[in-house]
Amino acid sequence: MKFATMPADGPDGRLHLVSRDLTRCAPAKSVHTLQALLEDWDRHAPALEAQYSALNAGGGTAFDPARALAPLPRAWQWLDGSAFDSHGDLMAQVFGLDENPKGRPLMYQGLSDCFLPASADVPLPSEDDGIDFEGEFGVICDTVPMGTGAAQAAGHIRLLVQINDWSLRTIGPIEMRTGFGWVQAKPACSMAPVAVTPSELGAAWRDARVDLPLVVEWNGTHFGAAEGYAMTYGFDALVAHAARTRDLVAGTVIGSGTVSNPDFRTIGSSCIAERRGIEILDEGGPRTGYMRFGDRVRMECRLRDGTPLFGPIDQRVVAAPCAGAA
């Protein structure tokens, strides 16, 4: 099944089913919001499956992804991993840090009370903060009991999403040195307009990984097409890691971290920091600057036959109203 959340009264919008080709949609008949569905998935899923089949056979109204909110406009919890060792190891090498610890996923807890719509302008306070995009895949879970192992965790993954995890690179190192983690360096993330069940990927959902490329363009120029299967830890392992000492509430969102491949010099990157890191190693210094106000980033993942999945994230960075304030 494919889901989108359209504007309605209240911040959580109105849940809609979206046709497989992303051209039509219809309000979900049995449940009003995605959060409510995640909290009682087994009760609602059969009726929604039947409605989805009918929608794909015809009917519904035109789906405009530019009007959609994030599928989950706000979540109880957002946990972001760093599951691609090629990215983490490159960053460690560039900055002279200890190599990422092996045998244990990296993960932090970020801002979850707002996921930005995929077509909305992104207001940020200053170009001097080092504005960067980070293309990721993510999962949304139902309730996961504490201590759930990886084999069982896979069964709690209800939906897959595509995320732009915005980062402010100038602030990041300052906050990391405090030992308390990120706050200012991690503003609200963006989420592609459609969330999909793993079954929509078919064989491309493999070993709890998205075995597909994430195509990224910056100001209309191709930037990268890294493959999602290269995760060192699959989403099942990330969910189990997060649940080791806590229950995960239904609606928890867990990210993969920046999609990255070892051959990043030829396949490209999913964030500017990685491109700059390659330039530092190869040329002695970075040539590529970070984003400026007015810049656009577009990212999209499709099945290999071209079938759309999540719809695109296509956004412009703009100055926040507070920009330049004393």
PDB file of all heavy atoms in Angstrom, residues 11-24:
ATOM      1  N   PRO A  11      -2.947  19.516  12.826  1.00  0.00           N
ATOM      2  CA  PRO A  11      -1.585  19.365  12.290  1.00  0.00           C
ATOM      3  C   PRO A  11      -1.286  18.001  11.699  1.00  0.00           C
ATOM      4  O   PRO A  11      -0.294  17.851  10.974  1.00  0.00           O
ATOM      5  CB  PRO A  11      -0.703  19.615  13.521  1.00  0.00           C
ATOM      6  CG  PRO A  11      -1.557  19.220  14.687  1.00  0.00           C
ATOM      7  CD  PRO A  11      -2.946  19.624  14.298  1.00  0.00           C
ATOM      8  N   ASP A  12      -2.108  16.991  11.976  1.00  0.00           N
ATOM      9  CA  ASP A  12      -1.811  15.639  11.512  1.00  0.00           C
ATOM     10  C   ASP A  12      -2.466  15.300  10.181  1.00  0.00           C
ATOM     11  O   ASP A  12      -2.260  14.207   9.645  1.00  0.00           O
ATOM     12  CB  ASP A  12      -2.231  14.619  12.575  1.00  0.00           C
ATOM     13  CG  ASP A  12      -1.473  14.824  13.875  1.00  0.00           C
ATOM     14  OD1 ASP A  12      -0.231  14.903  13.814  1.00  0.00           O
ATOM     15  OD2 ASP A  12      -2.103  14.920  14.940  1.00  0.00           O
ATOM     16  N   GLY A  13      -3.248  16.230   9.626  1.00  0.00           N
ATOM     17  CA  GLY A  13      -3.803  16.054   8.292  1.00  0.00           C
ATOM     18  C   GLY A  13      -4.782  14.898   8.191  1.00  0.00           C
ATOM     19  O   GLY A  13      -5.277  14.364   9.189  1.00  0.00           O
ATOM     20  N   ARG A  14      -5.055  14.499   6.943  1.00  0.00           N
ATOM     21  CA  ARG A  14      -6.018  13.439   6.649  1.00  0.00           C
ATOM     22  C   ARG A  14      -5.328  12.368   5.827  1.00  0.00           C
ATOM     23  O   ARG A  14      -4.767  12.625   4.752  1.00  0.00           O
ATOM     24  CB  ARG A  14      -7.210  14.014   5.880  1.00  0.00           C
ATOM     25  CG  ARG A  14      -8.276  12.984   5.497  1.00  0.00           C
ATOM     26  CD  ARG A  14      -9.042  12.513   6.725  1.00  0.00           C
ATOM     27  NE  ARG A  14     -10.220  11.737   6.386  1.00  0.00           N
ATOM     28  CZ  ARG A  14     -10.239  10.403   6.261  1.00  0.00           C
ATOM     29  NH1 ARG A  14      -9.131   9.690   6.438  1.00  0.00           N
ATOM     30  NH2 ARG A  14     -11.360   9.769   5.970  1.00  0.00           N
ATOM     31  N   LEU A  15      -5.346  11.137   6.315  1.00  0.00           N
ATOM     32  CA  LEU A  15      -4.683  10.022   5.652  1.00  0.00           C
ATOM     33  C   LEU A  15      -5.396   9.661   4.354  1.00  0.00           C
ATOM     34  O   LEU A  15      -6.626   9.528   4.312  1.00  0.00           O
ATOM     35  CB  LEU A  15      -4.655   8.810   6.574  1.00  0.00           C
ATOM     36  CG  LEU A  15      -3.936   7.568   6.034  1.00  0.00           C
ATOM     37  CD1 LEU A  15      -2.450   7.839   5.825  1.00  0.00           C
ATOM     38  CD2 LEU A  15      -4.137   6.375   6.977  1.00  0.00           C
ATOM     39  N   HIS A  16      -4.610   9.490   3.293  1.00  0.00           N
ATOM     40  CA  HIS A  16      -5.116   9.061   1.988  1.00  0.00           C
ATOM     41  C   HIS A  16      -4.330   7.847   1.499  1.00  0.00           C
ATOM     42  O   HIS A  16      -3.133   7.720   1.772  1.00  0.00           O
ATOM     43  CB  HIS A  16      -4.969  10.179   0.948  1.00  0.00           C
ATOM     44  CG  HIS A  16      -5.984  11.266   1.056  1.00  0.00           C
ATOM     45  ND1 HIS A  16      -6.139  12.042   2.178  1.00  0.00           N
ATOM     46  CD2 HIS A  16      -6.894  11.733   0.143  1.00  0.00           C
ATOM     47  CE1 HIS A  16      -7.104  12.933   1.971  1.00  0.00           C
ATOM     48  NE2 HIS A  16      -7.573  12.757   0.745  1.00  0.00           N
ATOM     49  N   LEU A  17      -5.013   6.986   0.796  1.00  0.00           N
ATOM     50  CA  LEU A  17      -4.347   5.959  -0.006  1.00  0.00           C
ATOM     51  C   LEU A  17      -3.982   6.568  -1.355  1.00  0.00           C
ATOM     52  O   LEU A  17      -4.718   7.399  -1.884  1.00  0.00           O
ATOM     53  CB  LEU A  17      -5.265   4.755  -0.206  1.00  0.00           C
ATOM     54  CG  LEU A  17      -5.419   3.848   1.025  1.00  0.00           C
ATOM     55  CD1 LEU A  17      -6.725   3.082   0.948  1.00  0.00           C
ATOM     56  CD2 LEU A  17      -4.240   2.885   1.124  1.00  0.00           C
ATOM     57  N   VAL A  18      -2.833   6.162  -1.893  1.00  0.00           N
ATOM     58  CA  VAL A  18      -2.357   6.674  -3.175  1.00  0.00           C
ATOM     59  C   VAL A  18      -2.164   5.494  -4.119  1.00  0.00           C
ATOM     60  O   VAL A  18      -1.651   4.441  -3.713  1.00  0.00           O
ATOM     61  CB  VAL A  18      -1.038   7.447  -3.006  1.00  0.00           C
ATOM     62  CG1 VAL A  18      -0.566   8.011  -4.345  1.00  0.00           C
ATOM     63  CG2 VAL A  18      -1.200   8.572  -1.988  1.00  0.00           C
ATOM     64  N   SER A  19      -2.573   5.655  -5.360  1.00  0.00           N
ATOM     65  CA  SER A  19      -2.433   4.567  -6.322  1.00  0.00           C
ATOM     66  C   SER A  19      -0.961   4.235  -6.553  1.00  0.00           C
ATOM     67  O   SER A  19      -0.064   5.050  -6.318  1.00  0.00           O
ATOM     68  CB  SER A  19      -3.102   4.940  -7.655  1.00  0.00           C
ATOM     69  OG  SER A  19      -2.479   6.070  -8.231  1.00  0.00           O
ATOM     70  N   ARG A  20      -0.716   3.047  -7.050  1.00  0.00           N
ATOM     71  CA  ARG A  20       0.663   2.574  -7.233  1.00  0.00           C
ATOM     72  C   ARG A  20       1.469   3.500  -8.148  1.00  0.00           C
ATOM     73  O   ARG A  20       2.675   3.673  -7.959  1.00  0.00           O
ATOM     74  CB  ARG A  20       0.640   1.143  -7.781  1.00  0.00           C
ATOM     75  CG  ARG A  20       2.010   0.493  -7.878  1.00  0.00           C
ATOM     76  CD  ARG A  20       1.912  -1.004  -8.044  1.00  0.00           C
ATOM     77  NE  ARG A  20       1.592  -1.660  -6.778  1.00  0.00           N
ATOM     78  CZ  ARG A  20       0.454  -2.317  -6.534  1.00  0.00           C
ATOM     79  NH1 ARG A  20      -0.480  -2.389  -7.469  1.00  0.00           N
ATOM     80  NH2 ARG A  20       0.241  -2.888  -5.365  1.00  0.00           N
ATOM     81  N   ASP A  21       0.818   4.100  -9.152  1.00  0.00           N
ATOM     82  CA  ASP A  21       1.535   4.996 -10.060  1.00  0.00           C
ATOM     83  C   ASP A  21       1.548   6.446  -9.581  1.00  0.00           C
ATOM     84  O   ASP A  21       2.007   7.344 -10.296  1.00  0.00           O
ATOM     85  CB  ASP A  21       0.939   4.916 -11.471  1.00  0.00           C
ATOM     86  CG  ASP A  21      -0.524   5.348 -11.525  1.00  0.00           C
ATOM     87  OD1 ASP A  21      -1.076   5.789 -10.490  1.00  0.00           O
ATOM     88  OD2 ASP A  21      -1.131   5.238 -12.615  1.00  0.00           O
ATOM     89  N   LEU A  22       1.047   6.693  -8.381  1.00  0.00           N
ATOM     90  CA  LEU A  22       1.023   8.010  -7.738  1.00  0.00           C
ATOM     91  C   LEU A  22       0.212   9.050  -8.500  1.00  0.00           C
ATOM     92  O   LEU A  22       0.468  10.253  -8.375  1.00  0.00           O
ATOM     93  CB  LEU A  22       2.447   8.553  -7.507  1.00  0.00           C
ATOM     94  CG  LEU A  22       3.438   7.696  -6.718  1.00  0.00           C
ATOM     95  CD1 LEU A  22       4.660   8.512  -6.324  1.00  0.00           C
ATOM     96  CD2 LEU A  22       2.812   7.053  -5.502  1.00  0.00           C
ATOM     97  N   THR A  23      -0.796   8.610  -9.238  1.00  0.00           N
ATOM     98  CA  THR A  23      -1.614   9.567  -9.989  1.00  0.00           C
ATOM     99  C   THR A  23      -2.956   9.857  -9.323  1.00  0.00           C
ATOM    100  O   THR A  23      -3.557  10.894  -9.601  1.00  0.00           O
ATOM    101  CB  THR A  23      -1.882   9.060 -11.414  1.00  0.00           C
ATOM    102  OG1 THR A  23      -2.626   7.832 -11.354  1.00  0.00           O
ATOM    103  CG2 THR A  23      -0.576   8.845 -12.171  1.00  0.00           C
ATOM    104  N   ARG A  24      -3.449   8.948  -8.460  1.00  0.00           N
ATOM    105  CA  ARG A  24      -4.769   9.117  -7.856  1.00  0.00           C
ATOM    106  C   ARG A  24      -4.695   8.825  -6.368  1.00  0.00           C
ATOM    107  O   ARG A  24      -3.805   8.109  -5.889  1.00  0.00           O
ATOM    108  CB  ARG A  24      -5.798   8.183  -8.519  1.00  0.00           C
ATOM    109  CG  ARG A  24      -5.933   8.412 -10.016  1.00  0.00           C
ATOM    110  CD  ARG A  24      -6.983   7.515 -10.645  1.00  0.00           C
ATOM    111  NE  ARG A  24      -6.920   6.126 -10.193  1.00  0.00           N
ATOM    112  CZ  ARG A  24      -6.021   5.247 -10.604  1.00  0.00           C
ATOM    113  NH1 ARG A  24      -5.071   5.620 -11.461  1.00  0.00           N
ATOM    114  NH2 ARG A  24      -6.047   4.005 -10.177  1.00  0.00           N
TER     115      ARG A  24
END
